[in-house]
Amino acid sequence: MITLTPFSFTQLTQSFICFILFFILYEQIFYFKKKRFIPGPTLVFPFFGNAISLVRNPTKFWAHQIKLAKSTNLGISANYISGKFVVFIRDTELSHKVFANVRPDGFLFVGFPFGKKLFGERNIIYMMGQEHKNLRRRIAPNFTPNALSTYVTWQQIIILKHLKTWVKLSEHQYPNPMPLRNLARDLNLDMSETVFLGPYLGPKARESFEHDYFLFNEAFTSFPIDLPGTAFQKGRLSVFRLEKTLATCTELSKVRMQKGEEPSCLIDYWVQDTLREIQEAKLAGETSPPPFSSDAEIGSYLFDFFFAAQDATVSSLLWAVAMLDLHPEVVAKVREEVTGVWSPESDTLITVEQLRDMNYTQAVAREVVRYRPPTFSVPHIAAKDFPLTESYTVPKGALVFPSTLESSFQGFVEPDRFDPDRFSTERQEDQVYKRNFLAFGAGSHQCVGQRYALNQLVLFIAMFTVLIDFKRERTSDCDELAYVPTICPKDDCMVVLSKRCARYPSFFEVEQFTR
C-alpha cells in the first residue's frame, strides 16, 4: 500500500495546479490562434467560454456580437462557447457564401448548436448532396397549389377558433392586458397538428404530443447537459416519442390513401405520392422499397416539419401584432383591402384566389418577416478550414452563425423602418434586394414550406385585423428581442382584445371540427 507523505501530496497538488494553468493557457492560445485579427473577447473562460452568458442573457450576448462585427469592414466577429470556436457573420455576401457551400468540404448545416444530440443523426437538417436532393423532391408534393389550397381551409378554421378564444380570455380579465406568446404557441401547434396530421391524431394523443413537444422546446433554451433529469435529456427523449407518434399517423394515412380517398392533410399528400413510388418500384421489379418511404422515416422527417413550422411562425404572429399596433395606418389599409374581397358575414372561407388578390396584406406579411426574421441566425459547422475572405480562413470545427436578421437591415431603403410598401409592384425591393432577404434561408436548405408559412401569416393578419380590435400595452423595452429560441417581443406581446365584427363567420367546417 502506497501512502502519500505530506511532501508528496504537496507535489501532487502543485502538479495539478500547474496542469490546470497549462490547460487554461493552451486554451487561450488555441482561441487566439483561431481568432487572429477579427474582433472578439480578449479572454475566454476555460472550456465553457461564454456559454453561460449566452444561456443567461442571449439578447445581450448577440447584441455584443453584432456590435463587434460592425466594428470592422469584414462584418464578422469571434467568440468561444463550450469548447467551440464561434464565428458570427453579419455581412450578407459572406452569409451567402456559407449557405452556398453546404457540403463535406465546406459547411455542415446544424440548425442548432447542439442539434445532433437533440434531434438525432438521421435528420433532414444534417443531410446534404444527392440524398438531401432526393428527400426534398419527395417532399415537394406537400406544397403544390392543390395541397396549399387544402391547408388554407384548415388554416382559417384554426385561426378563427383561437381568435374567438383569445377575445373571451381578454374580456374576462379586462382591463388588464394578456400575453399572446403562449396563446400564439397553442394556436400554431394546433395548426400544425391539424394541417399536418388531420384525423390521425385523436384528443388523447394530442395531449401527449403537446406535452412532449413542450419538453422538446424547453430543451432548446436549457444548458446542453445530457444527464438524467435535466431539461435537455427530457427534450431528447421526447423526440423519440414524438417520432413514434408521427410514424403511427403515417401508417394510418397509408391505409386510408390505399383505399383511394382524397388527401385531407399534409401527411396524406406525402403518403399518396410515396405509395405511387412504391407501386412503380414493384412494377419495375425492384425488391426493395424506395428510400424515405417507411413509416419510421416519414415520421422522423415529419417531425422536422413540426420543428420548422412551430416556433418560427409563433414569432411572426407576435411581431405582426406588435407592428400593426405601432402602425394604425397599415391596419386601416389592410382592413380596407380585406373587406373589399371578403366579408365575415358571408360565412365563406377566403379562397386562394382572394388570398392572392390581397397584395398589400401580402406585403405586410413579407415586411414582418423581413423586419423580424424568426430565426435570428442559421448555425453551421466548418467541415474543413474554409477561406471566408481573402484575409480570413474559418478554422475547421468552428461554429459559424450567418445572421438572417442583420442581412435584413442591409441594402433595403431605410431598412430600420417598418414599410410594407417596399414590397409593392412599384418599388419591388423584394427583387432589387433579394439577396438580403434571408428569412427563409438560401441555398440547398432554403425553407421548402415558405409559401405555406406566408399563407398562414397573411390569413392571420387579414382575419385578426377585420374580426378584432386590439391595443397593445407598450413599455420602454417591450420590443426588445427575446430569444426563446426564435426572436419574440420581450414582453410576450401584452394586448387587450375585443370583438370588432358584428358577428364571427360561421364556417360549416368549424362546426364539424369543434364537435
Side-chain angles (χ1 to χ4, degrees), residues 332-469:
K333 290 181 71 172
V334 169
R335 284 172 173 166
E336 182 181 7
E337 179 179 71
V338 174
T339 54
V341 297
W342 175 75
S343 169
E345 288 76 19
S346 68
D347 294 335
T348 59
L349 293 158
I350 298 172
T351 65
V352 173
E353 292 72 26
Q354 289 172 325
L355 194 62
R356 288 199 206 101
D357 289 339
M358 296 178 187
N359 295 320
Y360 184 74
T361 312
Q362 296 268 0
V364 173
R366 291 181 68 81
E367 178 66 346
V368 168
V369 174
R370 181 204 70 86
Y371 192 75
R372 288 291 182 262
T375 306
F376 160 79
S377 181
V378 186
H380 292 69
I381 289 180
K384 292 185 177 180
D385 289 352
F386 189 91
L388 189 65
T389 70
E390 290 183 1
S391 58
Y392 185 75
T393 296
V394 176
K396 178 182 178 180
L399 266 175
V400 182
F401 290 84
S403 177
T404 58
L405 177 65
E406 286 300 295
S407 287
S408 290
F409 290 89
Q410 298 169 45
F412 292 96
V413 177
E414 295 183 83
D416 292 330
R417 188 161 66 92
F418 183 81
D419 181 14
D421 286 325
R422 71 176 73 252
F423 293 109
S424 65
T425 53
E426 292 78 22
R427 290 169 59 179
Q428 295 185 352
E429 288 189 30
D430 54 330
Q431 297 302 315
V432 178
Y433 305 110
K434 187 176 181 179
R435 289 184 69 79
N436 298 92
F437 190 82
L438 293 176
F440 294 103
S444 60
H445 281 268
Q446 188 175 37
C447 177
V448 70
Q450 59 182 283
R451 185 66 261 173
Y452 165 80
L454 282 171
N455 280 352
Q456 180 171 330
L457 186 55
V458 174
L459 287 167
F460 175 82
I461 291 170
M463 298 176 73
F464 184 79
T465 55
V466 169
L467 301 178
I468 291 177
D469 278 320

Side-chain angles (χ1 to χ4, degrees), residues 149-166:
S149 66
T150 300
Y151 309 154
V152 162
T153 296
W154 286 115
Q155 284 170 321
Q156 292 174 75
I157 290 168
I158 299 302
I159 290 170
L160 177 59
K161 171 187 170 184
H162 284 265
L163 290 185
K164 290 163 73 173
T165 300
W166 292 7

Side-chain angles (χ1 to χ4, degrees), residues 1 60 154 277 292 372 472:
M1 179 177 178
K60 183 178 179 180
W154 286 115
E277 288 202 359
F292 318 118
R372 288 291 182 262
R472 188 175 178 208

Side-chain angles (χ1 to χ4, degrees), residues 163-227:
L163 290 185
K164 290 163 73 173
T165 300
W166 292 7
V167 170
K168 285 182 180 179
L169 288 171
S170 185
E171 289 174 344
H172 180 71
Q173 61 185 61
Y174 182 83
N176 298 319
M178 65 181 187
L180 275 188
R181 187 163 78 88
N182 285 339
L183 294 175
R185 176 188 173 276
D186 291 342
L187 181 157
N188 205 50
L189 187 53
D190 190 2
M191 182 77 73
S192 297
E193 289 170 330
T194 304
V195 172
F196 295 174
L197 305 178
Y200 308 116
L201 198 66
K204 288 186 178 180
R206 278 195 177 219
E207 287 182 15
S208 298
F209 191 94
E210 289 165 7
H211 175 70
D212 281 332
Y213 198 90
F214 173 79
L215 293 177
F216 163 75
N217 212 44
E218 285 289 294
F220 262 87
T221 52
S222 65
F223 202 78
I225 298 177
D226 192 12
L227 294 175

